[in-house]
Amino acid sequence: MPQTPTDQPPTELTPAQLEAYFAFTEVSSLLRHAVEKQLRDAGDLSYVQFQLLARLGDAPGGWRRMTDLADGVVYSRSGLTYQAQLLEQRGLVTRSPSPDDERSTVVALTDEGRAVLATVFPGHIDALRRLLFSTLSSDDVDDLARILGGAASHLRANPPRSAAPRRRAPRA
Amino acid sequence: MPQTPTDQPPTELTPAQLEAYFAFTEVSSLLRHAVEKQLRDAGDLSYVQFQLLARLGDAPGGWRRMTDLADGVVYSRSGLTYQAQLLEQRGLVTRSPSPDDERSTVVALTDEGRAVLATVFPGHIDALRRLLFSTLSSDDVDDLARILGGAASHLRANPPRSAAPRRRAPRA
DNA sequence: TATTGTTATACTCTATAACTATA
DNA sequence: TATAGTTATAGAGTATAACAATA
């Protein structure tokens, strides 16, 4: 009874799957730590703050609505308000009401914000190259982009936050 | 490794590298959130706590020294002490002085800890299969394991924490 | 009524520094 | 002196709920 050809998904992953998963989590964790350190040292930015600035830098006009930023990065509006306040206090972004919709707040990159981004970016790129890409052939990079790109699409389509919000069980 | 494709490291990544990086960070973030939710719902465990229990479950005898756990997971001893206290209060681990070295504390999985692990694991595996592996061919999995395994080794050899601890610049 | 964003608040987690004790 | 671990403490970050304003 080696295996039923079946219906029930096995409760184990294949060795290759396990290996891939462990490698993924390890790279993820180590890379994240290294990148966070670089961002902190080079521009006194947390990873989330860098992501916010980078998204603004990418956006046409250098601005986005709060909600759009929150959806991409922080997962809660109040969390984004907190981060936006920090960035605004440092003069890296401005917040202003949207002319289109008075409810919306438009977050825009300032010149100084763009300058900080420019300061931090080379080191960021350099860290990525040094820590990640220096070991990968260009075929490897293509494979990664293809495989993880597909996985990202799939994950995006199965949003982790869709389930009903639930209180944690009170402690026994 | 073949070669570095350039003499001067460019200040840009190739489009494929960027794509791979973005896909990687996106998968990492979405997967992490989904897994954290599953662990929370199924066993009221944070990701770190799950990692600690899983490492103990993997260890021969079901125990490890505090420092060995800290090195693998938490990056600071006090952080591990905090987490170990929480797990001990819940009866999932015990802490006791090592007979070999009186300075060391041995953290051991209890039966209840093992039970929680057993409760949480199937859902964990299932989430991984559903969110990640369902979209990947077995060649993809092999590629991922190979590519990321190599990257993980490289990252491990360039520990992000090796640099001298440095104070953040005081606010202007 | 639904959506956008802020505020108040509480909580989790993490790290640094000082400390104790063992090797 | 170096190592293992704990404690005290402070800070960053996050989320929930209540709220105000606009659509």
Side-chain angles (χ1 to χ4, degrees), chain B residues 83-94:
Chain B
Q83 294 293 344
Q85 277 172 346
L86 294 183
L87 292 174
E88 191 177 39
Q89 280 163 21
R90 286 178 57 180
L92 308 185
V93 305
T94 58

Side-chain angles (χ1 to χ4, degrees), chain B residues 65-67 78 81 85 95 103 105:
Chain B
R65 292 167 55 228
M66 288 289 283
T67 297
S78 62
T81 295
Q85 277 172 346
R95 284 186 293 175
R103 295 172 301 180
T105 295

Side-chain angles (χ1 to χ4, degrees), chain B residues 50-122:
Chain B
F50 171 71
Q51 281 185 298
L52 293 174
L53 293 185
R55 276 177 179 255
L56 292 177
D58 258 3
W63 58 267
R64 288 184 196 270
R65 292 167 55 228
M66 288 289 283
T67 297
D68 298 334
L69 279 175
D71 286 348
V73 175
V74 166
Y75 294 129
S76 89
R77 302 209 188 142
S78 62
L80 179 58
T81 295
Y82 172 76
Q83 294 293 344
Q85 277 172 346
L86 294 183
L87 292 174
E88 191 177 39
Q89 280 163 21
R90 286 178 57 180
L92 308 185
V93 305
T94 58
R95 284 186 293 175
S96 49
S98 165
D100 299 338
D101 182 337
E102 288 283 328
R103 295 172 301 180
S104 291
T105 295
V106 162
V107 185
L109 206 54
T110 64
D111 289 345
E112 195 178 343
R114 224 175 263 281
V116 168
L117 213 41
T119 300
V120 162
F121 225 88

